């Protein structure tokens, strides 16, 4: 187990290097020179040259890259072109807000999706089974930003039950969390249902039933436990969708998280901020995938790695 | 009839006679959801190709004479927007740009991904590791974020959108193709072809590629649903087509956000359109997967 964890952590190194490298070169394909861009249209060669020196743009590309790696790996992504604030500071402020939304969305997807999948599998072709199919189909097809706007109109403007923007109180969390959970909810529901159906056909379930265990125990303690492993696997895959969904939802509900920051970086062409955000988002994604991989052996003792 | 749960024994690798396609077609048409998907996709394509004939108004013709924002009426079945343009017509014209970008980027991504996947799987060794490391790096990012970053850096506009979206499509295709090639190149007919002296290029294109067709068709159809969503998301974030007058569904939705208090129909219909078309591609893709009996995704 320890060996598995270590080897999995080592695998992360090239990924991290790749993320930084891609982010570096992504910003290098920019047409034009960043220094000229910041100084603006004023034809001030001296200022541009000065800035180029400060930004190390006069050095060879390899030096720039190594300097970028050195700073970046320590969490220094430079300063925002627009506000002059360190990018890392801006991201640190926005991060918890995005995290809260992502966690709430995940919570909602798990709490609704898994029970719904179980019920759908136990009562095939019932009302709830149809509901689960509908959610699975709609969830992957609906544009999150549109769903968000419709929920705002219905629950915020028509019924006036919930606020449509802001991120300070719990009430503010409900609509964005439901909106952002769409894709994951669809996936969890569908996977739980099919995985549960498969387990219910296994011999051990028949054995458990034939020795007179109550149905509840058979399904919940025996079948569900085994059914959850593939669910966890696909759940890891749906996190990318959740992350991008969360960013869009922030824009719609005026959350001051990383999504808003990203849009701000795009509209103001604030490249250091954009670069920092892309790196942090990719690192987050890689980190969560690592966590999911490390979770498997805990859920399924049959899996032993590192042998 | 259990038509849509029939699982064919055998594999997608073997020789497919023409009758196999007929069986697949029969399975496909026995599945009502697949037909719904096909109808939606066909309608969307028809809108894109024949927009000037179908749409009652021009995309940018604004009825400035009276109140600009008008609720749905017989004259304007889906209402008008803030400058009096007919939303129904704009949605029809919007199909042009949304589908063009989705289909072109999907085609480009599948082309690049297939080529790289074929080479990686067939030659193995160093080339394989090199290509697959690139794939891994791309897959390490949440894909929409790469697309956003690329388009933000390249600048908006149709071509850059297509490039940005294709850049996130190819890694998945490469992985799929490589896995298939690894299996296919061990088959007897490939060994036979090699024995009689067919060159590598010939084996890849004439013997392996045709067998990749069915998984690729399914992958590309389901993928198109995702690309339409991504394109709409990019347009929504202001990274869509540069041309201000070209209607796109994502852009219409973005522009409508200021009017959700006064004109519900402005965000409702463009978003509903995206939803339905994406649903259509998903249903069509699911139907094709079941009918052709492939496991993509």
């Amino acid at each position: 187990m320890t060996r598995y964890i270590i080897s999995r952590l080592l695998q992360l190194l090239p990924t991290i290097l790749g993320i930084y490298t891609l982010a570096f070169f992504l910003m290098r394909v920019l047409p034009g020179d960043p220094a000229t861009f910041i100084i603006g249209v004023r034809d001030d060669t001296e200022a541009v040259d000065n800035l180029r020196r400060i930004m190390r743009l006069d050095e060879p590309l390899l030096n720039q890259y190594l300097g970028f790696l050195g700073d970046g790996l320590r969490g220094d992504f430079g300063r925002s072109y627009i506000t002059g604030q360190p990018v890392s500071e801006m991201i640190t402020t926005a991060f918890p807000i995005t995290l809260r939304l992502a966690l709430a969305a995940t919570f909602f997807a798990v709490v609704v999706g898994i029970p719904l999948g179980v019920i759908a599998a136990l009562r095939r072709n019932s009302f709830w089974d149809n509901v689960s199919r509908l959610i699975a189909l709609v969830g992957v097809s609906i544009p999150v930003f549109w769903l968000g706007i419709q929920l705002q109109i219905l629950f915020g403007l028509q019924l006036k039950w919930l606020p449509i923007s802001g991120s300070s109180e719990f009430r503010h969390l409900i609509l964005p969390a439901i909106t952002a959970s769409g894709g994951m909810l669809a996936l969890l529901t569908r996977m739980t249902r099919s995985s549960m159906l498969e387990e219910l056909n296994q011999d051990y379930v028949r054995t458990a039933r034939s020795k007179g265990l109550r149905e509840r125990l058979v399904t919940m303690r025996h079948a569900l436990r085994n059914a959850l492993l593939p669910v966890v696997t696909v759940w890891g895959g749906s996190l990318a969708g959740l992350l991008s969904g969360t960013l869009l939802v922030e824009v719609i509900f005026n959350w001051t998280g990383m999504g808003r920051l990203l849009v701000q970086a795009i509209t103001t062409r604030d490249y250091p901020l954009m670069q920092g955000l892309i790196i942090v988002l990719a690192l987050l994604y890689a980190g969560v995938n690592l966590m999911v991989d490390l979770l498997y052996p805990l859920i399924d003792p049959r899996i032993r790695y590192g042998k | 009839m259990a038509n849509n749960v029939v699982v064919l024994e055998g594999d997608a690798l073997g020789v497919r006679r023409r009758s196999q396609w007929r069986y697949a077609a029969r399975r496909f048409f026995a599945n009502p959801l697949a037909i719904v998907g096909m109808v939606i996709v066909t309608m969307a394509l028809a809108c894109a190709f024949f927009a000037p004939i179908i749409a009652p108004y021009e995309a940018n013709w604004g009825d400035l004479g009276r109140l600009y924002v008008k609720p749905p009426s017989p004259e304007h079945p889906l209402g008008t927007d803030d400058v009096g343009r007919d939303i129904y017509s704009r949605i029809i014209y919007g199909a042009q740009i949304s589908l063009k970008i989705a289909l072109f980027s999907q085609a480009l991504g599948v082309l690049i991904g297939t080529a790289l996947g074929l080479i990686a799987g067939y030659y193995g060794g160093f080339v394989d590791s090199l290509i697959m490391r690139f794939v891994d790096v791309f897959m390490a990012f949440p894909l929409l974020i790469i697309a956003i970053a690329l388009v933000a850096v390249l600048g908006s506009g149709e071509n850059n959108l297509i490039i940005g979206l294709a850049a996130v499509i190819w890694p998945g295709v490469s992985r799929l193709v490589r896995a298939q090639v690894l299996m296919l190149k061990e088959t007897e007919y490939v060994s036979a072809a090699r024995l009689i002296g067919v060159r590598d290029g010939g084996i890849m294109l004439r013997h392996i590629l045709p067998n990749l067709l069915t998984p690729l068709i399914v992958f590309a159809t389901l993928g198109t649903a995702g690309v339409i969503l991504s394109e709409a998301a990019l347009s929504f974030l202001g990274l869509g087509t540069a041309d201000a007058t070209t209607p796109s569904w994502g852009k219409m939705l973005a522009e409508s956000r200021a009017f959700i208090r006064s004109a519900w129909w402005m965000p409702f219909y463009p978003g509903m359109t995206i939803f339905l078309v994406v649903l259509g591609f998903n249903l069509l893709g699911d139907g094709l997967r079941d009918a052709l009996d492939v496991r993509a995704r």
Side-chain angles (χ1 to χ4, degrees):
Chain A
M1 184 63 202
T2 328
R3 271 181 64 184
Y4 168 67
I5 295 178
I6 292 171
S7 75
R8 188 64 185 74
L9 282 173
L10 284 177
Q11 274 174 31
L12 204 60
L13 291 179
T15 310
I16 291 175
L17 195 66
I19 288 170
Y20 276 87
T21 310
L22 195 62
F24 175 78
F25 285 105
L26 205 58
M27 295 300 146
R28 294 296 132 165
V29 299
L30 271 176
D33 178 272
T36 325
F37 173 77
I38 299 176
I39 300 292
V41 282
R42 286 176 297 135
D43 196 15
D44 191 344
T45 355
E46 203 181 326
V48 171
D49 282 348
N50 267 333
L51 194 62
R52 282 178 65 89
R53 223 178 348 267
I54 296 169
M55 294 172 71
R56 286 198 295 233
L57 289 170
D58 52 348
E59 292 174 33
L61 193 65
L62 183 69
N63 284 11
Q64 289 185 35
Y65 172 63
L66 292 177
F68 166 76
L69 263 187
D71 291 344
L73 288 174
R74 276 183 272 120
D76 177 3
F77 301 115
R79 285 170 182 276
S80 156
Y81 284 177
I82 308 298
T83 62
Q85 253 182 304
V87 166
S88 50
E89 234 170 64
M90 296 171 80
I91 296 180
T92 322
T93 322
F95 174 69
I97 298 170
T98 301
L99 183 69
R100 191 145 45 108
L101 180 53
L103 286 179
T106 308
F107 178 77
F108 182 79
V110 169
V111 163
V112 177
I114 292 181
L116 190 59
V118 171
I119 295 171
L122 292 177
R123 314 232 182 291
R124 286 188 76 178
N125 298 320
S126 67
F127 169 75
W128 290 110
D129 192 16
N130 289 330
V131 170
S132 86
R133 270 187 219 157
L134 194 71
I135 285 182
L137 206 54
V138 170
V140 291
S141 304
I142 206 161
V144 264
F145 36 96
W146 180 65
L147 178 64
I149 292 173
Q150 295 311 314
L151 290 177
Q152 282 181 325
I153 292 177
L154 182 62
F155 293 104
L157 299 176
Q158 301 289 325
L159 299 170
K160 296 193 189 343
W161 286 353
L162 291 162
I164 63 168
S165 70
S167 54
S168 49
E169 292 169 45
F170 177 71
R171 293 185 310 141
H172 290 121
L173 196 59
I174 301 171
L175 289 183
I178 293 175
T179 311
S181 72
M184 186 181 273
L185 176 62
L187 196 76
L188 286 183
T189 309
R190 201 185 63 208
M191 272 312 291
T192 309
R193 177 180 182 275
S194 63
S195 169
M196 195 66 187
L197 279 176
E198 208 164 288
E199 292 302 326
L200 287 173
N201 279 327
Q202 300 285 331
D203 287 343
Y204 71 85
V205 169
R206 198 180 46 208
T207 311
R209 278 191 183 134
S210 59
K211 73 179 183 185
L213 274 188
R214 264 173 300 148
E215 190 60 24
R216 201 183 171 75
L217 274 179
V218 175
T219 50
M220 291 302 140
R221 196 168 298 167
H222 293 245
L224 181 60
R225 248 194 207 184
N226 289 303
L228 281 184
L229 187 70
V231 175
V232 174
T233 317
V234 295
W235 176 74
S238 75
L239 285 167
L242 180 83
L243 207 53
S244 13
T246 308
L247 301 182
L248 291 167
V249 169
E250 280 181 17
V251 178
I252 299 162
F253 289 93
N254 278 322
W255 278 49
T256 47
M258 299 206 293
R260 270 278 297 280
L261 217 50
L262 187 65
V263 172
Q264 189 188 317
I266 291 168
T267 44
T268 58
R269 296 179 170 262
D270 192 345
Y271 293 116
L273 181 57
M274 211 188 293
Q275 200 172 37
L277 278 168
I278 289 167
I279 291 174
V280 170
L281 287 169
L283 289 179
L284 267 178
Y285 181 51
V288 175
N289 274 332
L290 174 74
M291 253 169 47
V292 173
D293 279 1
L294 295 181
L295 264 177
Y296 294 151
L298 295 180
I299 306 175
D300 189 347
R302 281 174 307 183
I303 296 180
R304 289 210 193 88
Y305 295 102
K307 274 193 173 172
Chain B
M1 283 293 282
N3 272 319
N4 44 6
V5 285
V6 171
V7 177
L8 266 194
E9 288 298 319
D11 48 26
L13 318 177
V15 182
R16 279 190 186 278
R17 265 164 273 115
R18 196 156 289 161
S19 59
Q20 290 281 30
W21 290 99
R22 201 175 304 156
Y23 281 126
R26 198 180 302 166
R27 279 195 296 271
F28 181 85
F29 286 107
N31 179 353
L33 284 178
I35 295 173
V36 172
M38 195 181 64
V39 170
I40 295 175
V41 169
T42 313
M43 274 169 60
L45 285 173
C47 285
F49 279 109
F50 306 110
I53 303 170
I54 301 174
Y57 299 89
E58 271 180 41
N60 289 306
W61 183 82
D63 188 359
L64 300 178
R66 285 165 285 172
L67 187 64
Y68 294 166
V69 186
K70 269 182 296 194
S73 63
E75 225 182 331
H76 300 286
L78 306 183
T80 61
D81 69 5
D82 54 313
V83 283
R85 296 175 297 195
D86 181 51
I87 290 178
Y88 175 60
S89 302
R90 282 178 72 74
I91 286 178
I92 293 173
Y93 274 97
Q96 290 180 331
I97 201 78
S98 297
L99 289 184
K100 182 174 157 196
I101 288 172
L103 295 177
F104 277 35
S105 55
Q106 188 69 28
L108 186 64
V110 168
L111 202 69
I112 297 172
T114 307
L116 290 177
L118 262 175
I119 292 170
Y122 188 79
Y123 289 110
F126 175 72
V127 190
D128 183 26
S129 328
L130 187 72
I131 293 176
M132 291 328 280
R133 283 301 81 75
F134 264 101
V135 170
D136 286 344
V137 169
F138 269 83
M139 301 286 258
F141 284 86
L143 293 180
L144 187 66
I145 310 283
I146 297 199
I148 289 176
L150 261 178
V151 180
V153 165
L154 294 173
S156 46
E158 259 177 58
N159 292 340
N160 292 341
L161 264 177
I162 292 174
I163 293 171
L165 290 168
V168 301
I169 293 168
W170 76 267
V173 180
S174 282
R175 240 182 218 180
L176 172 82
V177 169
R178 176 178 173 271
Q180 298 276 329
V181 172
L182 285 182
M183 293 192 313
L184 289 170
K185 77 171 178 184
E186 302 302 329
T187 51
E188 283 167 2
Y189 65 87
V190 168
S191 315
R194 203 174 292 144
L195 269 177
I196 59 168
V198 182
R199 261 176 262 154
D200 286 349
I203 294 180
M204 280 193 267
L205 294 181
R206 200 142 342 125
H207 297 277
I208 294 182
L209 191 61
N211 286 297
L212 292 171
L213 220 56
T214 42
L216 277 178
I217 290 172
V218 174
F219 189 90
T221 312
L222 288 171
T224 304
V227 185
I228 294 174
L229 277 181
S230 302
E231 188 269 328
L234 286 171
S235 300
F236 184 74
L237 292 175
L239 291 169
T241 51
D243 182 5
T245 49
T246 316
S248 109
W249 298 332
K251 205 158 67 181
M252 290 173 75
L253 197 49
E255 287 164 357
S256 74
R257 278 193 61 213
F259 302 92
I260 62 170
R261 283 166 202 277
S262 50
W264 60 267
W265 55 93
M266 269 183 69
F268 183 79
Y269 291 112
M272 192 68 181
T273 310
I274 301 172
F275 170 52
L276 282 178
V277 174
V278 171
L279 186 72
F281 273 100
N282 273 328
L283 290 175
L284 180 65
D286 282 344
L288 286 172
R289 182 187 53 205
D290 293 344
L292 297 167
D293 187 37
V294 281
R295 301 224 147 264
R297 286 196 182 173

